Amino acid sequence: MATVKLKVDGREVEVEKGTNLVDAGKKAGIFMPHFCYHPGLPVVGVCRICLCAIEGRPKLVAGCATPAEEGMNVITKSKAVRDARAAVMEFLLIHHPLDCPMCDKGGECTLQDYTIAMGAAHTRFSFKKNTWPEEDVGGKLILNKNRCILCMRCVNLCADVAGQDEIAVIARGEETYIGTVGGRKIENELAGNIADICPVGALTSVDFRFESRPWELTNVKTICTLCSKGCNTVAGFHPRRNKVLRVTARENMDVNQWWICDRGRGQFHSVHDVVRISTPIYRSRTRGAAARPVAWADAIAQVAGAIKDAVARQGADSVGVISSAELSNEELFLAGRIFGPDGLGLSNFDFPERPQPPVVYPKFTIEGDKNPNTRGARLLGGTAGKRGRSVKEILTAAAEGRIGVLLFLRGGAPETFGDAALVARALDRAGLVVVMDFVASAVADLADWVLPGVSHFEKDGTYVNSQGRVQRARKVFTLRGDTREDWRVLQDLGSALGVLHENDPSPEMIFARIARTVPAFTGLSYSALGDRGAPLDTEAANVAVG
């Protein structure tokens, strides 16, 4: 691509032809303030706060709407530029309320920051301000028109990224405001991104409303695990409340650009669900018998003992394992070592596919695979492979009484595993049913043993998205209760079964073992993955999965 050289405040910089002055300045280390400009949205040049001077031109120009040219000398620190930006700030604040102490945007508000940095100490305007009541615009966002500066980011996101004309600029002159179109609501599944990019708190999240101040949160870089896309996110964790309070988008141009869907944005709710499983449970199938909590050591010993007894008495085909592509690479690797050819050598070992209708927007797609790690499961032994039986065949064998121990590495509704009637018969006929999961479910409610794992917010691990990119999910917090990371449960179970002799102290160590033994992961490590992940060895991965 052709490049041009220019100077920004005396610093020479070379950028691709067509780059605007805001981005050219950023590359030169010169910050240009901006409200309406966002690299993922069309340039509209309406806020004018990025005004700058160009040597030889009589008027100031909008940096976001002016492409860099060869030999251009851009000036951002002159008196004319400072006066122009101060005037813009004064106009933007004419109707803006002084409600920062109660605004959810306070503390991460661009308008607040710029007012402190370049705003006037006093205003010349003392007339009555325009005011509107707050408005729920679709159940996900609250619109406060009083705060709006008409930057149009919300309008352009709905129109350009989601392809929906759900919100628009309405009326003219001083009465101009942002509003929904024809009484419609903002219902597209990307609406939550508006709260992320609104620079002033005019559109805020219903979910996060009055929950916390932004500076009270510990922000942890992680990923979403609700589909195979693997969007990069930031989990906002409140340490004092030991709770995740919000999930926001994190830029990764190789995966999700700047956006996430509202499903991923609300993923943290199930983590704090009241039906969360927080201790190992044994439930006798005797009619009327109540479930009772059991110590981890006893639970692992008895489950392992039942599996070993079934294999010894009736052979490996008497044990069925329904794995899960919701698990991390490290957990799938351990499951493969325990139940695969190098372990118990089970043929009844597979994971359910979880298709869903994809949602395709012009610039974002919610993918059609609800499993976040299907590629990882196929590469790392989450299944017995071509020699093994499918989930349906395993459940059929259990329903016919040919399986003594049925182990689910994730629970769920019966429909998750196929025909609900078949699942019900399998659960009824299997001699012993064990479920490892972190939330209660219909399948877990019918199990003899429930081993409380954790969500991806409570453990470190890696996942392979649909494009073959390996990404890290970082541990955000530890839930109170007697839960245990799934990789620890599997490691303990493998050790008790006598088929797993390593005892790695962390997922990072397990991943290092994966990188040494699975060709598709060669050369990868946690440090190599960094914040944005890294691709698999594509050729090796394609050979492995066929």
Side-chain angles (χ1 to χ4, degrees):
M1 171 132 349
T3 61
V4 295
K5 288 184 178 178
L6 69 159
K7 287 185 177 178
V8 183
D9 289 341
R11 296 184 188 180
E12 187 169 282
V13 62
E14 184 173 358
V15 298
E16 291 182 359
K17 193 173 183 179
T19 301
N20 66 33
L21 298 186
V22 171
D23 287 339
K26 183 178 180 182
K27 188 172 183 182
I30 304 295
F31 175 71
M32 291 192 195
H34 51 277
F35 289 114
C36 65
Y37 175 64
H38 186 286
L41 300 175
V43 172
V44 289
V46 296
C47 77
R48 316 305 286 180
I49 197 66
C50 61
L51 286 174
C52 55
I54 298 175
E55 191 176 73
R57 297 194 186 182
K59 294 183 178 179
L60 302 181
V61 300
C64 67
T66 306
E69 296 176 7
E70 183 68 31
M72 186 179 272
N73 188 12
V74 182
I75 301 163
T76 73
K77 292 182 169 52
S78 69
K79 182 178 184 304
V81 171
R82 283 195 298 273
D83 289 347
R85 290 178 180 176
V88 169
M89 287 299 302
E90 188 175 17
F91 279 111
L92 291 177
L93 292 169
I94 285 178
H95 292 291
H96 192 88
L98 291 174
D99 66 346
C100 301
M102 61 174 288
C103 175
D104 281 324
K105 201 72 176 182
E108 55 185 4
C109 173
T110 307
L111 184 66
Q112 192 178 44
D113 293 341
Y114 290 178
T115 301
I116 294 169
M118 66 186 82
H122 304 283
T123 179
R124 293 172 292 172
F125 305 104
S126 58
F127 51 79
K128 186 177 180 181
K129 299 186 178 206
N130 289 342
T131 56
W132 287 272
E134 285 191 331
E135 182 183 350
D136 185 330
V137 289
K140 303 172 186 173
L141 298 167
I142 296 294
L143 172 60
N144 185 321
K145 297 171 188 164
N146 307 318
R147 299 173 185 155
C148 182
I149 59 169
L150 299 172
C151 73
M152 294 180 61
R153 280 189 175 190
C154 52
V155 175
N156 288 321
L157 186 140
C158 285
D160 192 66
V161 181
Q164 308 284 325
D165 291 324
E166 295 172 323
I167 189 166
V169 178
I170 299 171
R172 302 185 67 182
E174 196 182 12
E175 301 298 323
T176 305
Y177 65 92
I178 293 289
T180 51
V181 178
R184 293 170 59 191
K185 301 295 184 184
I186 305 175
E187 296 176 333
N188 72 77
E189 292 200 66
L190 304 179
N193 294 291
I194 294 174
D196 287 356
I197 65 171
C198 176
V200 299
L203 282 150
T204 52
S205 165
V206 170
D207 224 16
F208 187 61
R209 189 171 172 80
F210 305 139
E211 283 284 345
S212 168
R213 307 305 299 185
W215 57 83
E216 294 180 304
L217 301 179
T218 299
N219 293 314
V220 181
K221 295 174 182 176
T222 185
I223 61 170
C224 176
T225 58
L226 288 187
C227 85
S228 57
K229 192 179 186 76
C231 290
N232 288 214
T233 61
V234 174
F237 168 63
H238 196 291
R240 183 162 45 84
R241 296 166 63 181
N242 197 39
K243 194 173 182 181
V244 178
L245 294 181
R246 71 175 181 182
V247 171
T248 53
R250 181 163 62 92
E251 178 187 335
N252 188 333
M253 300 307 291
D254 292 315
V255 182
N256 55 297
Q257 297 188 314
W258 301 269
W259 323 117
I260 59 173
C261 72
D262 292 339
R263 303 180 196 183
R265 198 173 290 276
Q267 186 181 10
F268 65 93
H269 288 298
S270 64
V271 176
H272 304 292
D273 199 307
V274 293
V275 298
R276 185 70 193 266
I277 305 168
S278 59
T279 186
I281 292 172
Y282 175 69
R283 181 186 296 111
S284 170
R285 294 197 189 184
T286 304
R287 186 179 296 277
R292 60 180 173 86
V294 181
W296 268 108
D298 291 341
I300 293 293
Q302 294 197 44
V303 170
I307 293 173
K308 285 196 288 189
D309 186 58
V311 172
R313 286 171 174 267
Q314 301 169 338
D317 280 353
S318 65
V319 176
V321 176
I322 309 293
S323 184
S324 173
E326 295 179 66
L327 299 177
S328 68
N329 291 323
E330 292 78 0
E331 292 153 358
L332 289 162
F333 177 71
L334 291 173
R337 294 286 306 278
I338 296 167
F339 305 113
D342 296 331
L344 296 178
L346 303 184
S347 297
N348 298 319
F349 181 34
D350 195 15
F351 68 89
E353 296 180 354
R354 299 196 305 149
Q356 64 179 350
V359 180
V360 181
Y361 292 110
K363 293 187 177 178
F364 190 92
T365 298
I366 301 171
E367 298 197 350
D369 182 1
K370 291 175 72 174
N371 281 329
N373 204 13
T374 297
R375 293 197 69 168
R378 289 178 178 153
L379 286 166
L380 294 166
T383 169
K386 295 178 181 176
R387 67 178 182 81
R389 300 186 178 90
S390 67
V391 170
K392 183 178 180 181
E393 290 171 330
I394 296 169
L395 292 171
T396 300
E400 293 172 352
R402 291 185 278 120
I403 285 184
V405 178
L406 192 55
L407 172 59
F408 291 81
L409 298 186
R410 271 290 180 267
E415 295 79 11
T416 305
F417 306 96
D419 179 60
L422 176 62
V423 175
R425 290 199 303 275
L427 292 170
D428 184 55
R429 290 293 305 275
L432 187 78
V433 177
V434 183
V435 173
M436 180 176 72
D437 204 351
F438 66 95
V439 290
S441 66
V443 170
D445 288 346
L446 295 173
D448 301 272
W449 287 93
V450 182
L451 307 177
V454 297
S455 71
H456 84 285
F457 288 113
E458 299 155 80
K459 60 187 177 185
D460 287 314
T462 60
Y463 298 77
V464 185
N465 77 357
S466 60
Q467 301 304 307
R469 193 169 191 83
V470 187
Q471 302 185 103
R472 287 186 64 186
R474 288 181 171 82
K475 182 173 181 174
V476 180
F477 75 115
T478 300
L479 189 76
R480 298 182 184 92
D482 199 13
T483 59
R484 188 172 288 188
E485 293 105 321
D486 304 81
W487 62 270
R488 290 188 191 275
V489 178
L490 288 167
Q491 205 161 244
D492 291 346
L493 184 60
S495 178
L497 287 168
V499 294
L500 196 63
H501 305 294
E502 305 87 15
N503 187 20
D504 292 312
S506 69
E508 184 173 8
M509 298 291 289
I510 300 171
F511 189 81
R513 196 180 297 281
I514 294 173
R516 291 196 299 271
T517 56
V518 182
F521 290 80
T522 299
L524 297 181
S525 66
Y526 272 24
S527 61
L529 296 180
D531 292 336
R532 300 178 190 277
L536 290 168
D537 182 322
T538 307
E539 187 174 337
N542 290 340
V543 169
V545 300

